[in-house]
Amino acid sequence: MVVKVYGPVRAACPQGVLACLLEKDVEFEIVHVDLDSGEQKKPHFLLRQPFGQVPAIEDGDLKLFESRAIIRYYAAKYEDRGPKLLGKSLEERAVVDQWVEVEAHNFNDLFYTLVLQLVILPRMGQPGDLALARSCEQKLEKVFDIYEQRLSNSTYLAGDSFTLADLTHLPAIRYLMTDAGGLAHLVTQRKHVNAWWQAISTRSAWKKLMNLANY
């Protein structure tokens, strides 16, 4: 059965879901949601995602939202297909969950605020708060320092295999490397973080997604 993914292919959170589906070779259909016109806040979409955010999925009778919940579901449903995105043991699963939580609570908020202030608001003709963006950049420097230490001892965040811990970072770091003007140094100036980024961003599934998004 084809999974319907509601959200723009170029939006970060839908990209995380699409990357997971591609890693697991799950057939999907992208249903575009026009964020610029506020479609995600319209009554018909709020029935699917009551908080007015993307993505949401429909898989037969299952309707689900929140990207990390969605990728955990498909990583478990297709555990024996493709890479072991949840880890190969109970202990590895715990470490994967740990770094997914780090991404959600220590990385993502800083990334989102940076992109909002430096990319999204200017595109809407509104001035970004450069002081706030600088504060977030300094905090993100410290997060990447922790990643650098971690990745000096392992190839990937949760160990020696690619997992959801790494996949969840792909869309955000792509923005930092290409769209968020002058922030690529956060990655490139850290030897192990940069090597990790090169490894995860050259995976076949991610390359397919970048082609789908016409990057």
Side-chain angles (χ1 to χ4, degrees):
M1 184 171 294
V2 176
V3 178
K4 291 185 178 181
V5 181
Y6 292 82
V9 70
R10 287 195 168 196
C13 291
Q15 283 185 354
V17 170
L18 295 170
C20 180
L21 295 175
L22 286 164
E23 287 283 356
K24 290 297 187 178
D25 196 23
V26 177
E27 189 176 359
F28 60 83
E29 172 191 350
I30 300 169
V31 182
H32 182 69
V33 177
D34 189 349
L35 302 186
D36 290 338
S37 69
E39 183 182 355
Q40 74 278 20
K41 303 296 184 182
K42 300 292 178 62
H44 73 276
F45 190 79
L46 292 174
L47 293 174
R48 191 174 301 282
Q49 214 292 13
F51 298 98
Q53 300 171 339
V54 293
I57 64 101
E58 184 176 324
D59 188 351
D61 293 331
L62 176 67
K63 295 180 180 179
L64 198 62
F65 57 87
E66 288 298 336
S67 60
R68 293 173 191 84
I70 295 169
I71 64 175
R72 283 184 170 116
Y73 169 73
Y74 284 108
K77 182 177 182 179
Y78 298 103
E79 187 170 8
D80 294 329
R81 181 191 298 182
K84 300 286 187 181
L85 295 178
L86 293 171
K88 299 174 184 177
S89 66
L90 181 61
E91 291 75 18
E92 286 185 11
R93 184 181 293 242
V95 177
V96 171
D97 281 343
Q98 168 185 271
W99 285 99
V100 170
E101 292 298 312
V102 168
E103 185 274 333
H105 301 293
N106 298 94
F107 177 88
N108 187 67
D109 287 349
L110 296 173
F111 154 74
Y112 176 79
T113 301
L114 267 176
V115 171
L116 177 65
Q117 301 303 325
L118 297 179
V119 180
I120 297 175
L121 288 178
R123 283 180 181 173
M124 297 170 62
Q126 302 177 33
D129 186 333
L130 297 183
L132 176 59
R134 178 56 182 158
S135 175
C136 288
E137 181 183 351
Q138 291 172 338
K139 292 175 182 177
L140 203 52
E141 290 264 12
K142 295 178 181 179
V143 173
F144 273 119
D145 285 343
I146 293 171
Y147 284 25
E148 178 71 3
Q149 177 60 37
R150 168 61 180 171
L151 292 165
S152 70
N153 296 310
S154 63
T155 305
Y156 300 96
L157 284 173
D160 293 326
S161 301
F162 177 82
T163 67
L164 293 184
D166 311 292
L167 185 149
T168 55
H169 288 83
L170 276 164
I173 295 182
R174 191 209 66 80
Y175 268 90
L176 294 179
M177 297 296 288
T178 60
D179 292 351
L183 293 177
H185 70 276
L186 292 170
V187 172
T188 59
Q189 290 184 1
R190 291 168 172 81
K191 174 183 176 182
H192 300 291
V193 170
N194 191 53
W196 168 68
W197 168 247
Q198 294 301 321
I200 66 177
S201 64
T202 55
R203 292 182 65 83
S204 174
W206 185 249
K207 287 183 175 181
K208 289 178 183 177
L209 179 54
M210 293 298 95
N211 286 334
L212 278 176
N214 293 318
Y215 284 125

